[in-house]
Amino acid sequence: MTRPLRVSVVAPSGVLGGAELWLLSLLDATDRLMVDALLLADGPLREEFARRGVPCTVRPTGRSGASIARSAAWLTRRLRADRPDVVLANGVKAASVAAPAAWLAGVRCVWAKHDHSHDGPLMTLLALLSDGCVATGAELIPASRHPDAVLVPFPAPGRAALPRETARQELLRRGVRLGQDELLLLTVARLVGYKGVDDAVTALAQPGASRWRLAVVGPDDPAEPGERERLTRLAASLGVADRVDFTGWLPEAWQFIPAADAVAVLTKPTGSGPTQESFGAVALEAMLAGVPVIATAPGPVSERVTPPGADPAGVTVEPARADQVAGALRKLEDPDIRSAMGAAGRRSAVAHPGAEQSAALLVRTLAETARLTGTGLEGTAAVSVVTTVKNEAGVIDQLLELLVPQLAVDGDEIIVVDGGSTDGTTQRVESWTSRDPRVRLLHAPGTGISAGRNTGIRAAGNALIACTDAGCYPAPDWLARLRAAAGEAEGASLLTGVYRVSGRGPVSHALVLVGYPVPEEARHPGPWTRLYCRFLGREFDATLPTGRSVAFTRAAWEDAGGFPEHLRTAEDVLFGRAVVAAGHRAALVTTAEVGWEQRPTLRQTAAMYFHYGEGSGWSANPLLLGRDTARAVAYTAAVAAGLRGPAARRVTAVTFLAYLSLPLTRAVRERRWAALPAVPLVAVVRDLSKAAGAAHGLVGRLRSGRAHDVAPGRGGPS
């Protein structure tokens, strides 16, 4: 098992509300996270973190923009020093502090959306600044405005609640004055106005509700410190103070729900709170306990309580309508109705995910966002490694020497597909097959990379396939990392590994700096790196894999139609796009790394990029072809601008320096001083070679008139 994922949690307050209990229950259910916490206000949550051994810092932060900005600046400095793998911001206020701080510090950030507070423009801003989002309710996914939002619901309790009589005795011990013939209405919530506890109090004074007692379980909230006093005065003014009891916060309050005859979830719109409960954990817990729920409608809780076409698990009322709450209480005086609704609730809620399942989804989202898919896992699936060769006698032994020790699970295998070697490659592979039956050789004369991969995959004995190329140097844990990533809960079907390019000499080093992404930048991108890569490329993209380091399921390969055999370059990225287009998810695994050596001369590199461009042209893929077309247009415009005079030349020079800023920054960071002067020349050669190749490939495609024709050019890593 690899090390745990390092997560910095930011929480908006120290209270123990639904959002905090969601977080704590999921942290308790996984051992894959190493957590530290920042609270923006003090409270009982700090003690809960301390009890779990989680280091916790409190930095009081108000609601004003200035206070949030000061805390964000402070957090930026802390994240730069600590460098966690990912930040989890638990709520809107937490995200308002954490998302900009993480963006500036070069740490990826996930924020958790729990309700509909601040829906609107703020969601758009948080979606732009956050790398990932988890929502505790399905309707919160579109409300988050984040393109990659994932549902991670509040989990069902991991064990049964107390028996009814035991729960009633426990409430009696905690100050609930429960008479023998009284019916008990229970609310479990922080004491804030929008939770609608006042409507439950008022309902007790309505005609027909005299048999009911209200137990209010929940802590005071620093945001509304006078709410308990307000509710107490209201009960006294209505003459029901003797039937309203406040217990304060009870740890694991869900255990006491069976003591109740009904549970009220009466959220209502206010100036500060959400317009509806987004998930309603208390309603779920009541349904699991077989207790009817009174819920305000419309909203997700009421839809769960009274689902269309199914027996109701309770009664719905309009927000702020105490008279309707009283009517629901009168209806629920009938024990047969309570029994039927309780049974319906149990049937509806029994399949709800538990803490381990929800925690696995949260950890998967955090790990994928951090580009560390599979961290903290030890995969168990057998893998078939497929590689294609043709005249690779000089490197095939080294590849197999690196791969064979990684076959650690029963059923693992390596399939080498030879496309017609004449240099002794097949004899070298046969020497391996004679010593280790897990290495297999397939003869497929005349096949290119795509057809060879498809041949190997068809012959593979496992559902999980990995690919690398001869001439690459997989890290000792390359296969283990891909295997672990495949073990994620509801994991991705396409696992895109990374490569690290090396070179010899200043020009080769310059080519590395200009032409390829860097694994560290994928995990910890600074602000300029984010912007540069978003608009100009040079980053690893899970949906654009390379055949040097990739794994996928057989089902994804089948749904994508295999690797496109009419292409000899760009076939891997087109395959990745086809997998995603078929409805499969892709994830980046920056720990699954292979080495690869840059071409030794500028001439050879130019030829390589020309062939890459050919693949783009022959594919006619809008993304790939669009990039190469943009390069050609940009250089043409630069030349035209340079002919217009000194001012235009200065603007062109500044623009070109901005374009070179990332490779130049890499050169300085890596102290590649000798490569620094070669960066501009190498960038021009690379871009123009790809643009020329794309034009040549597109012309060839148009002349052939057939998309399935094989593109000209030599094969190689793409």
Side-chain angles (χ1 to χ4, degrees), residues 383 385-386 399 402-403 406 466-469 473-484 497-498 547-551 589 591-594:
V383 185
V385 182
V386 175
L399 177 63
L402 292 170
L403 285 178
Q406 301 188 37
C467 291
T468 189
D469 291 330
Y473 314 108
D477 61 350
W478 173 74
L479 192 57
R481 296 288 190 165
L482 290 172
R483 195 195 312 273
V498 299
R548 304 180 187 104
S549 179
V550 66
V589 190
T591 51
E593 184 176 308
V594 302

Side-chain angles (χ1 to χ4, degrees), residues 22 133-141 148-154 278-279 352-353 357-358 361-362 364-365 490:
W22 170 86
C133 177
V134 294
T136 54
E139 81 291 344
L140 294 175
I141 291 179
D148 300 318
V150 176
L151 176 63
V152 182
F154 198 105
S278 60
F279 179 76
H352 191 82
Q357 186 176 349
S358 291
L361 290 173
L362 174 64
R364 186 205 76 191
T365 303
E490 301 178 22

Side-chain angles (χ1 to χ4, degrees), residues 417-440:
V417 183
D418 184 80
S421 296
T422 58
D423 67 343
T425 298
T426 56
Q427 289 81 0
R428 291 180 179 274
V429 178
E430 286 170 347
S431 174
W432 282 90
T433 63
S434 66
R435 301 194 304 269
D436 193 327
R438 297 174 300 176
V439 180
R440 299 165 55 194

Side-chain angles (χ1 to χ4, degrees), residues 25-63:
S25 66
L26 300 193
L27 294 182
D28 289 343
T30 181
D31 60 357
R32 292 181 58 194
L33 303 180
M34 181 183 297
V35 179
D36 64 80
L38 168 65
L39 301 186
L40 304 182
D42 203 357
L45 181 58
R46 177 168 55 85
E47 284 75 28
E48 290 295 326
F49 279 132
R51 189 164 64 84
R52 291 164 171 81
V54 174
C56 186
T57 302
V58 178
R59 181 179 173 83
T61 304
R63 295 183 177 182

Side-chain angles (χ1 to χ4, degrees), residues 340-353:
M341 288 184 172
R346 283 197 183 97
R347 290 194 299 271
S348 176
V350 69
H352 191 82

Side-chain angles (χ1 to χ4, degrees), residues 56 67 110 126 213 375 426 435 464 498 546 602 658-659:
C56 186
S67 182
V110 174
L126 293 181
R213 170 172 294 277
T375 295
T426 56
R435 301 194 304 269
L464 182 61
V498 299
T546 169
L602 188 60
Y659 176 63

Side-chain angles (χ1 to χ4, degrees), residues 258-453:
D261 298 287
V263 168
V265 181
L266 302 176
T267 308
K268 57 186 176 182
T270 69
S272 59
T275 58
Q276 56 186 234
E277 288 284 348
S278 60
F279 179 76
V282 175
L284 169 69
E285 291 159 354
M287 292 165 67
L288 286 168
V291 177
V293 180
I294 303 173
T296 49
V301 177
S302 63
E303 292 170 4
R304 190 182 303 118
V305 170
T306 57
D311 295 331
V315 183
T316 59
V317 298
E318 296 177 33
R321 290 292 302 271
D323 59 324
Q324 293 187 13
V325 176
L329 293 176
R330 289 193 295 271
K331 181 176 182 178
L332 292 173
E333 285 189 5
D334 187 329
D336 292 336
I337 293 177
R338 294 199 305 271
S339 177
M341 288 184 172
R346 283 197 183 97
R347 290 194 299 271
S348 176
V350 69
H352 191 82
E356 290 187 0
Q357 186 176 349
S358 291
L361 290 173
L362 174 64
V363 177
R364 186 205 76 191
T365 303
L366 293 171
E368 288 187 0
T369 301
R371 308 303 193 254
L372 295 169
T373 309
T375 295
L377 281 176
E378 184 175 355
T380 58
V383 185
S384 296
V385 182
V386 175
T387 187
T388 61
V389 295
K390 184 176 181 181
N391 295 331
E392 302 285 2
V395 294
I396 188 60
D397 283 320
Q398 185 174 14
L399 177 63
L400 293 176
E401 285 170 1
L402 292 170
L403 285 178
V404 167
Q406 301 188 37
L407 304 180
V409 172
D410 288 345
D412 282 350
E413 62 180 353
I414 300 171
I415 300 175
V416 181
V417 183
D418 184 80
S421 296
T422 58
D423 67 343
T425 298
T426 56
Q427 289 81 0
R428 291 180 179 274
V429 178
E430 286 170 347
S431 174
W432 282 90
T433 63
S434 66
R435 301 194 304 269
D436 193 327
R438 297 174 300 176
V439 180
R440 299 165 55 194
L441 174 63
L442 300 181
H443 296 278
T447 58
I449 292 177
S450 289
R453 286 190 188 133

